[in-house]
Amino acid sequence: NAGVTQTPKFQVLKTGQSMTLQCAQDMNHNSMYWYRQDPGMGLRLIYYSASEGTTDKGEVPNGYNVSRLNKREFSLRLESAAPSQTSVYFCASSDIGGHSNQPQHFGDGTRLSIL
Amino acid sequence: RKEVEQDPGPFNVPEGATVAFNCTYSNSASQSFFWYRQDCRKEPKLLMSVYSSGNEDGRFTAQLNRASQYISLLIRDSKLSDSATYLCVVKPGDMRFGAGTRLTVKP
């Protein structure tokens, strides 16, 4: 069972470089999410997509863009990476977003370091 | 004030001990509540949902107090494999995560 798959698992960038983090889920979920996790802080929502064709900002969207390519795939792009974006990034999906009580299923993360 | 607050720990307990974690949340409109478990350098995984009447899953018991905006997780008969960080999650709309409570169970 693949569940939620993220690529790459590790990446080192220089300040100012761009890159795209990829996420795909095979559970036919409608909603997908991107989070970042920093030491001493909870996961913080960057962007989410409640359904195919829609995206919305989360708690910390600045410096990021997203694309919901199709129902399966949701990518996160850093246009000009900054050291403050060094973090662990998690993609997640759930059956129904918004106010439902459905939990989210997470990918195993991308560790991103920006020098 | 953080939306979801947890004691960061660490909690160091012997095998077989009972340990309790607490979590408070600030948004009274929150409707859904969860406990997730996260192992070191791994992704969060759902441990259990938290229901208004309280619920139990084996050695784990979750409680919700809406009036006090408080959630708890009780682990009985701790195992070495319970060592992890436990994340309190509250859903007023989006999911809001606590920073986690770290538990180490020792032989």
Side-chain angles (χ1 to χ4, degrees):
Chain A
N1 292 334
V4 179
T5 303
Q6 291 183 234
T7 56
K9 293 194 184 326
F10 303 93
Q11 185 72 47
V12 179
L13 294 177
K14 294 181 179 178
T15 298
Q17 287 186 311
S18 62
M19 80 161 293
T20 300
L21 308 185
Q22 306 287 351
C23 176
Q25 51 91 8
D26 63 1
M27 296 174 282
N28 202 36
H29 284 168
N30 288 306
S31 301
M32 298 185 73
Y33 310 83
W34 275 106
Y35 292 89
R36 60 178 289 171
Q37 187 175 33
D38 301 295
M41 306 185 75
L43 279 80
R44 291 182 293 167
L45 183 64
I46 303 170
Y47 270 93
Y48 67 100
S49 170
S51 60
E52 188 178 355
T54 68
T55 61
D56 287 286
K57 294 179 180 179
E59 189 182 354
V60 289
N62 292 344
Y64 305 94
N65 286 301
V66 290
S67 295
R68 182 75 182 266
L69 304 169
N70 49 54
K71 191 171 186 179
R72 288 188 64 247
E73 298 173 287
F74 187 39
S75 62
L76 178 72
R77 183 162 178 83
L78 287 71
E79 290 291 352
S80 179
S84 61
Q85 294 177 305
T86 293
S87 190
V88 181
Y89 291 85
F90 287 102
C91 177
S93 70
S94 68
D95 198 14
I96 304 171
H99 293 270
S100 81
N101 63 355
Q102 294 297 313
Q104 293 176 9
H105 302 266
F106 286 82
D108 53 12
T110 296
R111 298 182 186 285
L112 182 61
S113 294
I114 298 158
L115 307 177
Chain B
R1 183 187 171 191
K2 293 181 182 177
E3 281 196 69
V4 182
E5 296 212 52
Q6 295 182 250
D7 182 341
F11 284 61
N12 298 309
V13 303
E15 267 188 294
T18 295
V19 61
F21 305 138
N22 300 320
C23 170
T24 58
Y25 61 95
S26 60
N27 191 332
S28 60
S30 300
Q31 294 295 322
S32 301
F33 308 89
F34 308 93
W35 283 100
Y36 275 71
R37 170 196 169 124
Q38 186 173 24
D39 292 295
C40 188
R41 301 178 74 80
K42 298 285 189 181
E43 75 276 20
K45 292 184 179 178
L46 179 68
L47 178 66
M48 57 195 303
S49 300
V50 185
Y51 301 120
S52 295
S53 55
N55 50 298
E56 190 173 303
D57 183 0
R59 297 180 294 107
F60 299 86
T61 300
Q63 298 270 342
L64 168 63
N65 184 322
R66 286 187 186 272
S68 302
Q69 295 182 200
Y70 168 98
I71 303 162
S72 65
L73 176 68
L74 182 76
I75 305 175
R76 291 183 300 279
D77 188 23
S78 299
K79 311 291 184 192
L80 296 176
S81 58
D82 293 335
S83 297
T85 296
Y86 291 83
L87 308 176
C88 172
V89 183
V90 172
K91 201 173 181 187
D94 302 336
M95 287 178 74
R96 299 289 171 159
F97 288 78
T101 299
R102 188 169 160 198
L103 171 67
T104 301
V105 181
K106 300 187 173 180

